[in-house]
Amino acid sequence: MSSNATATPSIHMPLIPALDDDHLTRLFLALALFQLACFVVFIPAWLLDTRILDSAAIWTKPQKFHISLALHFATLAVLAQLLPRDFRTGPLMIIFGYLAAISMIYEFAYIGLKAAQGGRSHFNYDTPAESTAYALMGVGAVLLVFVAMVLAVQIWRKGDRSRKGLWLGSIIGLSTGFALTLLVASTMSSTSRYVGAPLSGGGEVFPFFGWSREYGDLRPSHFVALHLMQTVPLAGYLANRFRWPAIPVVLGVTALQIALCLALFYQALAGQPIWPT
Amino acid sequence: MAITPEQLFSWASTSAMLGWLILIFLPRRWPALLFVPRYLIPFGLSLLYAGLALAHIFTVEGGGFGSLDEVAKLFTKKEVLLAGWVHYLAFDLFIGGWIAVEADKLGLARLIQAPILVATFMLGPLGLALFLTMRAGYFAKERAAA
């Protein structure tokens, strides 16, 4: 039977062959690949377009979103493997997976469109249409991270506990990442990214990230909050791998990162820049 | 000629739009339905292009393909501009049809195909580049023996 190998039909597998080939994993990986492809395809525009908005090249913001969302969905695809297939492809994960997918496509399209037009996608209330679009982005942003919370609950209920660090790290990383992101982002959306400074900002910024070095800027804490979803599961994974005590490692990394996030949050609210000029 | 370029533009745009709507929203499981955006409409648009191009491109004074100025001169004639537009419509839709079929082979959800197809519809090569880059993230694997 195996001698007739040439007749074996071949299928296409996404980037990471170790992952299961089920509907939800394929969806998450495709979303990650889509965002990665966007990053690559937008590089020429990034280089050619000389427009500046709020002291950053016009395409820097979409590019940051492309990287961040690629990382987000790749993380979800990998961590979803902790669930038995039945739960991974059950209605709960599929529904929230698709809601996140729709949100991602919307954010991608609106942020890209606004960049092309040279305008702001966030904090833009210039016209009723732009206010509505921004409000919808808020809903989309919540759905984008809410799927992580749903995954955390599912892993807690049904996840593979054979690797305690990864199991615990995934639950804690996804859930605290979700909660802190919501806290920082909702503060940011009700005030502004800057504290005590005009939206247009200007002045000295962190290279690439564009965080202000002159005013309080809420985005560093937003960044730290979001990436709890990657660092804590990774810490758990490494703890298993190198036989470190899993629970202290996971809880320690979580506590440190929460502390960092809150420190940056209150520093920004106090109007202090993260890295003063 | 009784038919104005405006009339031809309108017909061409409508048929291309019809093709994209089928490609983006309708099911793929009926070959006869998929045939319409993949072959029928691009072929019709290609015939229209051939007619417009042969009748007009070579008659423009100072027009040509050697420099940007010559190309710009070509497109000052309305029929040539229309031919150029129909060229976009025909090729973009054909590429869209190819992307759809290849994406189905990869098992890409229709929801993710939609933005790629819309990008191809609106910005042609950008959509193609997106899909080609994305597809590079897949590789062929032998199906496990039953």
Side-chain angles (χ1 to χ4, degrees), chain A residues 200-222:
Chain A
S200 54
E204 286 285 307
V205 295
F206 238 76
F208 179 74
F209 291 95
W211 301 329
S212 176
R213 294 182 58 191
E214 298 185 9
Y215 328 113
D217 191 331
L218 285 162
R219 290 173 297 171
S221 60
H222 184 48

CSV table of all heavy atoms in Angstrom, one decimal, chain A residues 200-222:
chain,number,residue,atom,x,y,z
A,200,SER,N,-2.7,65.8,18.2
A,200,SER,CA,-1.7,65.8,17.1
A,200,SER,C,-0.3,65.6,17.7
A,200,SER,O,0.6,65.3,16.9
A,200,SER,CB,-1.8,67.1,16.4
A,200,SER,OG,-1.7,68.2,17.2
A,201,GLY,N,-0.2,65.8,19.0
A,201,GLY,CA,1.1,65.5,19.6
A,201,GLY,C,2.3,66.2,19.0
A,201,GLY,O,2.3,67.4,19.1
A,202,GLY,N,3.1,65.5,18.4
A,202,GLY,CA,4.3,66.1,17.9
A,202,GLY,C,5.5,66.0,18.8
A,202,GLY,O,5.3,65.4,19.9
A,203,GLY,N,6.6,66.4,18.4
A,203,GLY,CA,7.8,66.4,19.3
A,203,GLY,C,8.5,65.0,19.3
A,203,GLY,O,8.2,64.2,18.4
A,204,GLU,N,9.3,64.8,20.3
A,204,GLU,CA,10.1,63.6,20.3
A,204,GLU,C,9.3,62.4,20.6
A,204,GLU,O,8.4,62.4,21.4
A,204,GLU,CB,11.2,63.7,21.4
A,204,GLU,CG,12.3,64.7,21.1
A,204,GLU,CD,13.3,64.1,20.1
A,204,GLU,OE1,13.8,63.0,20.4
A,204,GLU,OE2,13.5,64.8,19.0
A,205,VAL,N,9.6,61.3,19.8
A,205,VAL,CA,8.9,60.0,20.1
A,205,VAL,C,9.8,58.9,20.1
A,205,VAL,O,11.0,59.0,19.6
A,205,VAL,CB,7.8,59.7,19.0
A,205,VAL,CG1,6.7,60.8,19.0
A,205,VAL,CG2,8.4,59.6,17.6
A,206,PHE,N,9.4,57.8,20.7
A,206,PHE,CA,10.1,56.5,20.7
A,206,PHE,C,10.2,56.1,19.2
A,206,PHE,O,9.3,56.2,18.5
A,206,PHE,CB,9.1,55.5,21.3
A,206,PHE,CG,9.7,54.8,22.5
A,206,PHE,CD1,9.8,55.4,23.7
A,206,PHE,CD2,10.1,53.4,22.4
A,206,PHE,CE1,10.3,54.8,24.8
A,206,PHE,CE2,10.6,52.8,23.6
A,206,PHE,CZ,10.6,53.4,24.8
A,207,PRO,N,11.4,55.6,18.8
A,207,PRO,CA,11.5,55.1,17.4
A,207,PRO,C,10.5,54.0,17.2
A,207,PRO,O,10.3,53.2,18.1
A,207,PRO,CB,12.9,54.6,17.3
A,207,PRO,CG,13.6,54.8,18.6
A,207,PRO,CD,12.6,55.5,19.6
A,208,PHE,N,10.0,53.9,16.0
A,208,PHE,CA,9.0,52.9,15.5
A,208,PHE,C,7.7,53.0,16.3
A,208,PHE,O,6.6,53.2,15.7
A,208,PHE,CB,9.5,51.5,15.5
A,208,PHE,CG,8.5,50.5,15.1
A,208,PHE,CD1,8.2,50.4,13.7
A,208,PHE,CD2,7.8,49.7,16.0
A,208,PHE,CE1,7.2,49.6,13.3
A,208,PHE,CE2,6.8,48.8,15.5
A,208,PHE,CZ,6.5,48.8,14.2
A,209,PHE,N,7.7,52.8,17.6
A,209,PHE,CA,6.5,52.7,18.4
A,209,PHE,C,5.7,54.0,18.4
A,209,PHE,O,4.5,54.1,18.5
A,209,PHE,CB,6.8,52.3,19.8
A,209,PHE,CG,7.2,50.8,19.9
A,209,PHE,CD1,8.6,50.5,20.0
A,209,PHE,CD2,6.3,49.8,19.9
A,209,PHE,CE1,9.0,49.2,20.0
A,209,PHE,CE2,6.7,48.5,20.0
A,209,PHE,CZ,8.1,48.2,20.0
A,210,GLY,N,6.5,55.1,18.3
A,210,GLY,CA,5.8,56.4,18.2
A,210,GLY,C,5.2,57.0,19.5
A,210,GLY,O,4.5,57.9,19.6
A,211,TRP,N,5.6,56.3,20.6
A,211,TRP,CA,5.1,56.8,21.9
A,211,TRP,C,5.8,58.1,22.3
A,211,TRP,O,7.0,58.3,22.0
A,211,TRP,CB,5.5,55.8,23.0
A,211,TRP,CG,4.9,54.5,22.8
A,211,TRP,CD1,3.7,54.2,22.1
A,211,TRP,CD2,5.4,53.2,23.2
A,211,TRP,NE1,3.5,52.9,22.1
A,211,TRP,CE2,4.5,52.2,22.7
A,211,TRP,CE3,6.5,52.8,23.9
A,211,TRP,CZ2,4.7,50.8,22.9
A,211,TRP,CZ3,6.7,51.4,24.1
A,211,TRP,CH2,5.8,50.5,23.6
A,212,SER,N,5.0,59.0,22.8
A,212,SER,CA,5.6,60.4,23.1
A,212,SER,C,6.7,60.4,24.2
A,212,SER,O,6.5,59.6,25.2
A,212,SER,CB,4.4,61.3,23.5
A,212,SER,OG,5.0,62.6,23.8
A,213,ARG,N,7.7,61.2,24.0
A,213,ARG,CA,8.7,61.4,25.0
A,213,ARG,C,8.5,62.7,25.7
A,213,ARG,O,9.4,63.2,26.5
A,213,ARG,CB,10.1,61.3,24.4
A,213,ARG,CG,10.4,59.9,23.9
A,213,ARG,CD,11.8,59.8,23.3
A,213,ARG,NE,12.8,60.1,24.3
A,213,ARG,CZ,14.1,60.3,24.1
A,213,ARG,NH1,14.5,60.2,22.8
A,213,ARG,NH2,14.9,60.7,25.0
A,214,GLU,N,7.3,63.4,25.4
A,214,GLU,CA,7.1,64.7,26.0
A,214,GLU,C,5.9,64.7,26.9
A,214,GLU,O,5.8,65.5,27.8
A,214,GLU,CB,7.0,65.7,24.9
A,214,GLU,CG,8.3,65.8,24.1
A,214,GLU,CD,8.4,66.9,23.1
A,214,GLU,OE1,7.5,67.7,23.1
A,214,GLU,OE2,9.4,66.9,22.3
A,215,TYR,N,4.9,63.9,26.6
A,215,TYR,CA,3.6,63.9,27.4
A,215,TYR,C,3.4,62.5,27.9
A,215,TYR,O,4.0,61.6,27.5
A,215,TYR,CB,2.4,64.3,26.5
A,215,TYR,CG,2.7,65.2,25.4
A,215,TYR,CD1,2.6,64.8,24.1
A,215,TYR,CD2,3.0,66.5,25.6
A,215,TYR,CE1,2.8,65.6,23.0
A,215,TYR,CE2,3.3,67.4,24.6
A,215,TYR,CZ,3.1,67.0,23.3
A,215,TYR,OH,3.4,67.8,22.2
A,216,GLY,N,2.3,62.5,28.8
A,216,GLY,CA,1.8,61.2,29.2
A,216,GLY,C,1.2,60.5,28.0
A,216,GLY,O,0.5,61.1,27.2
A,217,ASP,N,1.6,59.2,27.8
A,217,ASP,CA,1.1,58.5,26.6
A,217,ASP,C,0.6,57.1,27.1
A,217,ASP,O,1.3,56.4,27.7
A,217,ASP,CB,2.2,58.3,25.6
A,217,ASP,CG,1.7,57.8,24.3
A,217,ASP,OD1,0.7,57.1,24.3
A,217,ASP,OD2,2.4,58.1,23.3
A,218,LEU,N,-0.7,56.8,26.9
A,218,LEU,CA,-1.3,55.6,27.4
A,218,LEU,C,-0.9,54.4,26.6
A,218,LEU,O,-1.2,53.2,27.0
A,218,LEU,CB,-2.8,55.8,27.5
A,218,LEU,CG,-3.3,56.6,28.6
A,218,LEU,CD1,-4.8,57.1,28.3
A,218,LEU,CD2,-3.2,55.9,29.9
A,219,ARG,N,-0.3,54.6,25.4
A,219,ARG,CA,-0.1,53.4,24.5
A,219,ARG,C,0.9,52.4,25.1
A,219,ARG,O,0.8,51.2,24.8
A,219,ARG,CB,0.2,53.9,23.1
A,219,ARG,CG,-1.0,54.5,22.4
A,219,ARG,CD,-0.7,55.1,21.1
A,219,ARG,NE,0.2,56.2,21.3
A,219,ARG,CZ,0.8,56.9,20.3
A,219,ARG,NH1,0.6,56.5,19.0
A,219,ARG,NH2,1.6,57.9,20.5
A,220,PRO,N,2.0,52.9,25.8
A,220,PRO,CA,2.9,51.9,26.3
A,220,PRO,C,2.2,50.9,27.2
A,220,PRO,O,2.5,49.7,27.2
A,220,PRO,CB,4.0,52.7,27.1
A,220,PRO,CG,4.0,54.0,26.4
A,220,PRO,CD,2.5,54.2,25.9
A,221,SER,N,1.3,51.4,28.1
A,221,SER,CA,0.6,50.4,29.0
A,221,SER,C,-0.3,49.5,28.2
A,221,SER,O,-0.5,48.3,28.6
A,221,SER,CB,-0.1,51.2,30.1
A,221,SER,OG,-1.0,52.0,29.6
A,222,HIS,N,-0.9,50.1,27.2
A,222,HIS,CA,-1.8,49.3,26.3
A,222,HIS,C,-1.0,48.1,25.7
A,222,HIS,O,-1.4,47.0,25.6
A,222,HIS,CB,-2.4,50.2,25.2
A,222,HIS,CG,-3.3,49.5,24.3
A,222,HIS,ND1,-4.4,48.8,24.7
A,222,HIS,CD2,-3.5,49.6,22.9
A,222,HIS,CE1,-5.1,48.3,23.7
A,222,HIS,NE2,-4.5,48.8,22.6
